[in-house]
């Protein structure tokens, strides 16, 4: 019985990995809807590895133009101080700020999103692997961007 349970679990992991790979291929081909359907299904099923599902789902949500959904997908990773989750959340808040600025919303809405982006990127920088300065650099770009013209 134990062997059968282990084999079933291994098959589900492989199936999840295959579906994750298929979702990645859909996303790379510009088939965002197909990728989102697969990823949302994997998340609903609780398929491991949840971290990888959430990161790719956030990427797909951003490609679909929905930074708020990307942020929601990443919440468990940010609560765990996951470097890649924090970095992706910072990028999602930046995208949300950009969308707010483009839609002619009050600039303080966009500014608040950029502040959130900066905060998550700072947290990511604090949890970055040694020698990885990507989050710190992106946080610096947020500061430069905020000093400039949001319409540009």
């Amino acid at each position: 019985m134990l062997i059968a349970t282990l084999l079933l679990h291994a098959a589900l992991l492989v199936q999840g990995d295959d579906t994750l790979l298929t979702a990645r291929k859909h996303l790379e081909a510009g088939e965002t809807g197909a990728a989102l359907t697969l990823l949302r299904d994997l998340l609903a099923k609780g398929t491991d590895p949840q971290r990888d599902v959430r990161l790719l789902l956030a990427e797909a949500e951003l490609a679909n133009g929905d930074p708020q959904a990307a942020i929601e997908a990443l919440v468990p990773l940010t609560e765990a101080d996951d470097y890649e989750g924090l970095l992706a959340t910072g990028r999602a808040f930046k995208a949300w700020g950009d969308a707010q600025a483009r839609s002619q919303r009050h600039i303080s809405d966009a500014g608040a999103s950029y502040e959130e982006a900066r905060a998550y990127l700072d947290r990511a920088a604090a949890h970055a692997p040694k020698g990885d300065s990507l989050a710190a650099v992106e946080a610096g770009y947020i500061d430069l961007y905020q000093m400039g013209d949001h319409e540009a």
Side-chain angles (χ1 to χ4, degrees):
M1 184 67 168
L2 178 63
I3 293 174
T5 302
L6 290 174
L7 288 174
L8 177 60
H9 183 67
L12 289 174
L13 285 175
V14 169
Q15 178 185 1
D17 287 344
D18 287 347
T19 305
L20 197 60
L21 181 60
T22 301
R24 163 71 60 203
K25 288 179 181 178
H26 281 302
L27 190 56
E28 289 171 354
E31 300 163 353
T32 308
L36 284 169
T37 298
L38 289 172
L39 292 165
R40 288 174 182 155
D41 185 50
L42 282 175
L43 193 62
K45 288 179 181 177
T47 304
D48 284 326
Q50 284 287 293
R51 177 185 179 278
D52 295 342
V53 173
R54 288 182 178 282
L55 287 169
L56 190 56
L57 176 59
E59 187 178 331
E61 294 288 11
L62 284 176
N64 196 45
D66 194 349
Q68 287 175 288
I71 292 165
E72 290 171 17
L74 294 165
V75 167
L77 301 181
T78 62
E79 291 172 350
D81 286 333
D82 180 278
Y83 167 70
E84 288 183 36
L86 292 167
L87 182 62
T89 303
R91 290 173 175 165
F93 270 108
K94 165 76 169 61
W96 193 6
D98 291 346
Q100 290 168 324
R102 278 192 307 274
S103 70
Q104 304 302 315
R105 287 183 122 180
H106 193 273
I107 199 65
S108 65
D109 291 341
S113 293
Y114 294 135
E115 289 301 320
E116 285 291 322
R118 173 76 157 127
Y120 279 101
L121 291 169
D122 284 343
R123 283 180 59 199
H127 294 282
K130 186 176 180 174
D132 186 337
S133 60
L134 182 60
V137 170
E138 288 191 30
Y141 284 140
I142 296 284
D143 289 340
L144 292 173
Y145 185 76
Q146 284 188 290
M147 286 189 274
D149 180 10
H150 291 281
E151 301 297 322

